[in-house]
mmCIF file of all heavy atoms in Angstrom:
data_model
loop_
_atom_site.group_PDB
_atom_site.id
_atom_site.type_symbol
_atom_site.label_atom_id
_atom_site.label_comp_id
_atom_site.label_asym_id
_atom_site.label_seq_id
_atom_site.Cartn_x
_atom_site.Cartn_y
_atom_site.Cartn_z
ATOM 1 N N SER A 628 -58.075 -61.633 -103.599
ATOM 2 C CA SER A 628 -58.196 -62.980 -102.910
ATOM 3 C C SER A 628 -58.183 -62.810 -101.397
ATOM 4 O O SER A 628 -58.971 -63.458 -100.726
ATOM 5 C CB SER A 628 -57.004 -63.881 -103.376
ATOM 6 O OG SER A 628 -57.050 -64.061 -104.795
ATOM 7 N N VAL A 632 -61.185 -64.024 -98.922
ATOM 8 C CA VAL A 632 -60.974 -64.876 -97.784
ATOM 9 C C VAL A 632 -61.550 -64.237 -96.491
ATOM 10 O O VAL A 632 -62.277 -64.932 -95.655
ATOM 11 C CB VAL A 632 -59.501 -65.256 -97.577
ATOM 12 C CG1 VAL A 632 -59.223 -66.067 -96.303
ATOM 13 C CG2 VAL A 632 -59.033 -66.106 -98.720
ATOM 14 N N LEU A 742 -99.622 -56.653 -59.237
ATOM 15 C CA LEU A 742 -99.246 -57.757 -58.303
ATOM 16 C C LEU A 742 -97.808 -58.230 -58.629
ATOM 17 O O LEU A 742 -97.014 -58.475 -57.780
ATOM 18 C CB LEU A 742 -100.332 -58.789 -58.494
ATOM 19 C CG LEU A 742 -101.623 -58.695 -57.769
ATOM 20 C CD1 LEU A 742 -102.546 -59.849 -58.151
ATOM 21 C CD2 LEU A 742 -101.443 -58.576 -56.262
ATOM 22 N N ILE A 819 -118.693 -75.471 -39.039
ATOM 23 C CA ILE A 819 -118.316 -75.224 -37.649
ATOM 24 C C ILE A 819 -119.217 -74.176 -37.001
ATOM 25 O O ILE A 819 -119.700 -74.311 -35.868
ATOM 26 C CB ILE A 819 -116.837 -74.878 -37.556
ATOM 27 C CG1 ILE A 819 -115.996 -76.133 -37.954
ATOM 28 C CG2 ILE A 819 -116.468 -74.481 -36.088
ATOM 29 C CD1 ILE A 819 -114.470 -75.805 -37.998
ATOM 30 N N PHE A 854 -140.537 -80.298 -18.865
ATOM 31 C CA PHE A 854 -139.060 -79.881 -18.907
ATOM 32 C C PHE A 854 -138.281 -81.113 -19.326
ATOM 33 O O PHE A 854 -137.239 -80.971 -20.029
ATOM 34 C CB PHE A 854 -138.647 -79.370 -17.599
ATOM 35 C CG PHE A 854 -139.077 -77.963 -17.259
ATOM 36 C CD1 PHE A 854 -139.932 -77.695 -16.249
ATOM 37 C CD2 PHE A 854 -138.660 -76.968 -18.073
ATOM 38 C CE1 PHE A 854 -140.366 -76.394 -15.999
ATOM 39 C CE2 PHE A 854 -139.025 -75.606 -17.839
ATOM 40 C CZ PHE A 854 -139.882 -75.341 -16.818
ATOM 41 N N ASP A 914 -93.529 -112.043 -47.807
ATOM 42 C CA ASP A 914 -93.203 -112.010 -49.199
ATOM 43 C C ASP A 914 -93.645 -110.735 -49.835
ATOM 44 O O ASP A 914 -94.959 -110.533 -49.845
ATOM 45 C CB ASP A 914 -93.756 -113.215 -49.915
ATOM 46 C CG ASP A 914 -93.190 -114.520 -49.416
ATOM 47 O OD1 ASP A 914 -92.021 -114.492 -48.990
ATOM 48 O OD2 ASP A 914 -93.881 -115.582 -49.402
#
Side-chain angles (χ1 to χ4, degrees):
S628 298
V632 171
L742 281 176
I819 294 175
F854 284 116
D914 297 331

